[in-house]
Amino acid sequence: MKVLKFGGSSIADASRIQKVAEIIKAEVKRGPFVLVLSAMKGITNLLIQAALLAEQGDRDYLTFISRIKATHATAVKVLFSEQKGKPVLHDLEQLHGELKDFLHGVELIRECTARILDLVMSFGERLSCMLMTHYLNECGVHALFIDARDLIVTDDAYGNASVIYSQTYTRIKKYVGGIKQVPVITGFIAATENKVTTTLGRNGSDFTASLIGAGLDAESIEIWTDVNGVLSTDPRFVKNAFTIRELSYEEAMELSYFGAEVIHPKTMIPAVDKNIPIIIKNTFNPEQAGTIIKNKIKKHTAAISGIACIENIALLNIEGGGMVGIPGMAARIFSILASAALNIIMISQGSSEHSICLGLKQNEALEAVRSLNKELKKELESKTINEFVLIEELVIIAVIGDNMRGTPGISGKLFSALGKARINVLAIAQGSSERNISFVIHKKDSARALTTVHKAFFTTAKAANHGSG
Ligand code: ASP
Ligand code: MG
C-alpha cells in the first residue's frame, strides 16, 4: 500500500487534473494506494480573503466565492461531457452553497475567529477531492471521497492544530484500511474529538499524507509537486543547483525548516515513527527519480547535503557588562519574546556571556525591540544591559548534512571559502547535532555566498553521483 499526495499546483486546472489522472491510472496497475489532495491552486488564499472581507462587512466576498466556483466549474466543463458534468456540478454546488451560508453568517456577525476560518478553509480540499473522485470514476478508476475530518483527530489550536496520534492512527486503520476503491482523502483538514473542524497549518496536506501512510503502515509516501525534488540550494541564486537524490529524515527536516519549501517539516514525524520512505516526485516530469527521504541513505562523498537560505532576517544584539555570570538573563529574554509571540530563528551566544545575538524575521524585529525595551526597562536604566542593536536586511544561510557529524574541517572549509570571497559573516550558530551550521550575512551577499559555498562543497560531489537532474 502506498500513499500518493498531489499538491495544489498539480491540480491547478483541468489539463493538470488530466495529467494527475494519467499517473493514477498507471498506479492502479501496480497495486493498492490511497490518494491525498490539496485544494486547487490559490483556492485556500481566496477562501481566507473572502472570510476577511465578510468579517469587515464587505460584500465583495461574494466575488471571491464566484471565483472559487468558476475555477471548479471551468474544470468540470473540460473534464466531463455536459450530461456527465451535471451530477458533479450538483455536488460542488452544494458545497459552494454551504460556504456562502457560512460567510453570510460571518458577514452578519462581523467576526471571523480562527475556528470559523478553519471551517471556511476546509472547503478548498473538500471541493478538490469531490471533483477528483468524480473524475477518476469517469476515467474508470473506482474512487471514494473521504473527508479527513473523520480520520485525523487534533486539539483545538485552530489554524495549526496538533495531532493526537494514537486516535488518528486507529481511525485511519479502521476507516481506510478495508476500502476496496481508491480513497481520495482531503489533505490539510482535521477535527477535534468533538468534531469541530481544524487545519494542520498552511501547506499541511503533506503532513496529512504522512499521517495516512503511518496509519496504514504504507510502503512509501509519494509527495507529487511541481519540482523535481529537494534541491541542493536555491536555484534563483545558484544556477547549477541540482536535485538531491537521497536525504535522511533529519536532513530533510532541517532543509524544509530552513526554507526549502518542497515539503512541510512536520511530514517527517509520522514517517520516522513507522520508518516509511517519503519520495518527492514531479507531476510534470514523472520520469525523474525525485528525492527519496528515508532512514538510512547511501554513503555519499559530499561533506554536506544541502544549503538553505532564509531571507528577510534581522539580528538583534543584546549586550552588556551586567549580563556576565548572571543566570536567567537568557531565559528572561526568551520568555519576553515568547509572550509577544515572536519567533526566534537563530541564537548565538559567545562564552564570555557578554552578548546574546538573536536572529528574527525582519517583520517581527521591531516588535521584539519594543517588547524588550518595555520589559527590561530597569536593566536598561541601570546599564546592566546596553541599548539593543538591530541590524536589518540580512539572510541566514544554513549548511546541512549528516556527514558533517564528527568530520573535522567542515567549518574551516566553509568559512575560509567565504573569507576568500570576502563575504562578511555577522553571526554563527551550530547545534550540537552537528547537522547544521547556520550563519548570518548581509542580503546583498546572498547570491555570492550561496554560489561560493555550493562550489566549495559540491563540484566533486556531483560527479560522485550525489545528485541528478
Ligand atoms: N490548501 C492548503 C494550503 O494552501 C494546504 C496545502 O496546500 O497543503 O495551505
Ligand atoms: Mg504544498
Side-chain angles (χ1 to χ4, degrees):
M1 160 77 73
K2 286 208 274 186
V3 177
L4 273 67
K5 178 257 169 179
F6 291 88
S9 63
S10 295
I11 52 168
D13 55 33
S15 72
R16 293 185 175 196
I17 290 174
Q18 283 164 335
K19 273 206 174 75
V20 168
E22 289 307 315
I23 294 170
I24 291 169
K25 278 191 263 175
E27 199 57 51
V28 171
K29 298 189 188 114
R30 291 196 198 107
F33 65 97
V34 172
L35 276 181
V36 174
L37 299 182
S38 295
M40 289 175 80
K41 188 178 179 175
I43 296 296
T44 309
N45 287 340
L46 289 176
L47 287 164
I48 295 170
Q49 287 166 26
L52 297 180
L53 286 173
E55 183 180 35
Q56 289 156 18
D58 184 340
R59 302 212 83 206
D60 216 20
Y61 75 85
L62 293 167
T63 353
F64 282 77
I65 299 181
S66 304
R67 275 166 70 188
I68 293 166
K69 218 168 140 175
T71 306
H72 295 90
T74 310
V76 171
K77 286 217 177 73
V78 179
L79 296 171
F80 300 86
S81 66
E82 201 184 321
Q83 199 51 34
K84 294 205 163 136
K86 271 189 193 148
V88 187
L89 287 174
H90 175 264
D91 280 357
L92 297 177
E93 183 53 49
Q94 208 148 359
L95 283 171
H96 283 123
E98 221 181 286
L99 169 65
K100 202 165 154 184
D101 285 347
F102 284 134
L103 288 175
H104 186 218
V106 172
E107 182 198 350
L108 293 176
I109 301 171
R110 292 286 175 93
E111 185 180 2
C112 184
T113 58
R115 170 173 167 164
I116 302 286
L117 189 61
D118 273 355
L119 178 61
V120 171
M121 286 194 288
S122 76
F123 281 89
E125 273 68 13
R126 287 155 67 194
L127 286 161
S128 68
C129 287
M130 185 68 83
L131 172 56
M132 186 56 109
T133 306
H134 277 291
Y135 184 57
L136 287 175
N137 281 305
E138 169 69 18
C139 296
V141 176
H142 299 300
L144 182 70
F145 172 90
I146 294 182
D147 190 323
R149 291 177 298 174
D150 296 327
L151 305 175
I152 299 175
V153 188
T154 68
D155 67 4
D156 60 0
Y158 301 107
N160 194 7
S162 294
V163 170
I164 302 169
Y165 283 91
S166 53
Q167 287 188 41
T168 298
Y169 290 160
T170 310
R171 287 197 191 189
I172 291 170
K173 255 196 203 78
K174 184 166 162 203
Y175 295 119
V176 187
I179 293 177
K180 296 275 172 298
Q181 300 99 316
V182 174
V184 182
I185 304 174
T186 54
F188 182 51
I189 66 176
T192 64
E193 279 174 290
N194 298 330
K195 298 199 170 303
V196 181
T197 302
T198 58
T199 60
L200 302 176
R202 291 308 303 271
N203 297 316
S205 301
D206 295 344
F207 185 30
T208 306
S210 168
L211 286 165
I212 303 286
L216 296 174
D217 289 302
E219 71 199 56
S220 64
I221 299 156
E222 295 184 357
I223 306 289
W224 288 80
T225 177
D226 54 4
V227 292
N228 285 343
V230 181
L231 292 177
S232 56
T233 194
D234 191 329
R236 287 174 303 154
F237 296 117
V238 181
K239 64 175 185 311
N240 49 357
F242 57 87
T243 310
I244 304 171
R245 286 287 299 117
E246 293 194 346
L247 282 172
S248 71
Y249 293 121
E250 290 79 8
E251 289 175 328
M253 222 170 309
E254 296 264 5
L255 275 169
S256 59
Y257 179 76
F258 279 100
E261 279 165 1
V262 179
I263 185 168
H264 191 288
K266 280 192 196 159
T267 313
M268 263 62 79
I269 302 169
V272 172
D273 248 5
K274 299 283 178 82
N275 196 9
I276 304 169
I278 300 170
I279 305 162
I280 316 276
K281 296 277 291 175
N282 190 348
T283 305
F284 310 107
N285 204 352
E287 306 76 41
Q288 287 283 327
T291 298
I292 174 156
I293 302 167
K294 57 184 185 179
N295 190 9
K296 287 212 168 59
I297 62 170
K298 269 203 237 77
K299 267 205 160 30
H300 58 83
T301 50
I304 67 170
S305 291
I307 309 159
C309 175
I310 322 179
E311 297 177 273
N312 304 318
I313 294 294
L315 270 186
L316 177 59
N317 247 322
I318 304 163
E319 258 182 50
M323 281 167 52
V324 181
I326 299 188
M329 198 60 197
R332 280 192 62 200
I333 293 167
F334 295 148
S335 73
I336 292 167
L337 296 179
S339 334
L342 299 168
N343 191 24
I344 305 170
I345 297 174
M346 184 179 135
I347 305 161
S348 120
Q349 179 183 15
S351 59
S352 78
E353 301 179 48
H354 176 248
S355 73
I356 300 179
C357 170
L358 304 177
L360 299 149
K361 277 274 172 209
Q362 178 87 46
N363 60 4
E364 297 189 340
L366 284 179
E367 184 56 32
V369 174
R370 233 173 280 137
S371 321
L372 290 170
N373 270 330
K374 190 167 145 225
E375 302 294 331
L376 295 173
K377 207 167 162 214
K378 255 183 37 212
E379 287 76 4
L380 286 161
E381 273 166 11
S382 66
K383 299 205 182 297
T384 312
I385 50 177
N386 305 345
E387 259 180 54
F388 306 112
V389 179
L390 191 64
I391 314 170
E392 297 177 276
E393 306 255 326
L394 305 173
V395 302
I396 298 179
I397 293 184
V399 172
I400 286 155
D402 288 344
N403 274 3
M404 301 201 292
R405 307 182 71 175
T407 314
I410 305 225
S411 51
K413 187 169 171 180
L414 171 63
F415 292 110
S416 78
L418 291 168
K420 270 197 204 117
R422 306 208 59 74
I423 291 160
N424 186 33
V425 176
L426 287 90
I428 302 170
Q430 181 189 349
S432 60
S433 77
E434 293 186 55
R435 209 173 267 127
N436 176 338
I437 302 176
S438 300
F439 56 93
V440 179
I441 57 170
H442 288 284
K443 179 182 166 192
K444 64 173 171 47
D445 293 331
S446 351
R448 228 153 40 85
L450 284 171
T451 313
T452 303
V453 179
H454 199 265
K455 201 164 147 207
F457 285 101
F458 285 130
T459 27
T460 51
K462 208 187 156 194
N465 206 18
H466 175 52
S468 72

